[in-house]
Amino acid sequence: MIPQFIEHIGIAVNSLEESIPYYEKVLGLNCYSVEEVKEQKVKTAFFKVGQTKIELLEPTSEDSPVAKFIAKKGPGVHHIAFAVNNLEEQLSKVKDRGVTLIDKVPRKGAEGLEIAFLHPKSTFGVLTELCEDKNK
Ligand code: CMX
């Protein structure tokens, strides 16, 4: 599998309201979208940096995967997302190579992308997301 590009970097934060001003006022990026992903129990905020996005993730409940991450490790880089073609096929390929899939079939993520996560225990500690924009 050859990823096309880094689609986004997910960053866990306690509060979008408190962290957005850093990205806007210090880094000079523009927050172009805030979206709740109910299924993942997170509120997201997006910034573009060239072709890649920064996705801030604020947990919306205590049992959110992002709340658990912050409780354990504190705020910081949470996952890296690679854009791929033919997501289903890529999932099957990485599974055949011994990687544990969190999502066996793709599901809907923020911005209407099809997404699937690979378990950090089989990706050397980096929670990895594969995603595909089927609207393109
Ligand atoms: N990066 C690296 N390691 C991580 C991690 C992360 N983001 N999240 C959890 N882990 C590690 C934990 O540190 C823990 O390691 P140890 O066993 O060494 O202590 C291990 O994975 C298990 O973690 P846990 O806290 O017990 O949590 P769970 O097993 O319940 O869940 C995971 C872990 C990765 C399966 C779960 O967080 C998950 O399904 N994540 C994918 C979905 C997600 O994160 N959604 C939010 C973003 C959504 C979006 O972008 O739209």
Side-chain angles (χ1 to χ4, degrees):
M1 175 188 64
I2 302 174
Q4 295 174 293
F5 57 95
I6 295 177
E7 211 283 332
H8 66 266
I9 296 170
I11 298 175
V13 298
N14 283 313
S15 156
L16 290 185
E17 199 186 336
E18 285 172 15
S19 52
I20 286 173
Y22 163 71
Y23 289 89
E24 292 204 309
K25 297 201 165 76
V26 180
L27 296 185
L29 302 174
N30 172 42
C31 177
Y32 68 90
S33 158
V34 173
E35 182 186 342
E36 183 167 354
V37 184
K38 286 217 166 96
E39 194 198 324
Q40 294 292 304
K41 298 177 180 166
V42 288
K43 225 161 80 179
T44 62
F46 283 96
F47 307 81
K48 283 198 179 108
V49 188
Q51 196 175 11
T52 301
K53 297 162 195 158
I54 298 286
E55 177 188 35
L56 301 184
L57 300 156
E58 176 192 300
T60 54
S61 98
E62 277 178 17
D63 61 344
S64 158
V66 174
K68 282 168 101 181
F69 176 87
I70 292 174
K72 206 163 182 179
K73 301 192 185 197
V77 174
H78 177 262
H79 68 268
I80 184 162
F82 294 109
V84 298
N85 282 326
N86 304 318
L87 179 54
E88 289 88 347
E89 194 185 316
Q90 306 304 348
L91 280 179
S92 148
K93 277 190 192 160
V94 293
K95 184 170 175 248
D96 288 348
R97 293 185 175 182
V99 172
T100 305
L101 307 182
I102 294 174
D103 301 296
K104 292 180 181 55
V105 291
R107 57 190 162 86
K108 277 269 178 264
E111 300 205 302
L113 298 182
E114 295 285 316
I115 66 166
F117 282 94
L118 313 181
H119 202 287
K121 288 285 167 201
S122 56
T123 57
F124 299 90
V126 179
L127 176 61
T128 302
E129 178 182 336
L130 302 182
C131 58
E132 181 172 23
D133 188 351
K134 293 218 164 151
N135 301 312
K136 274 191 181 161

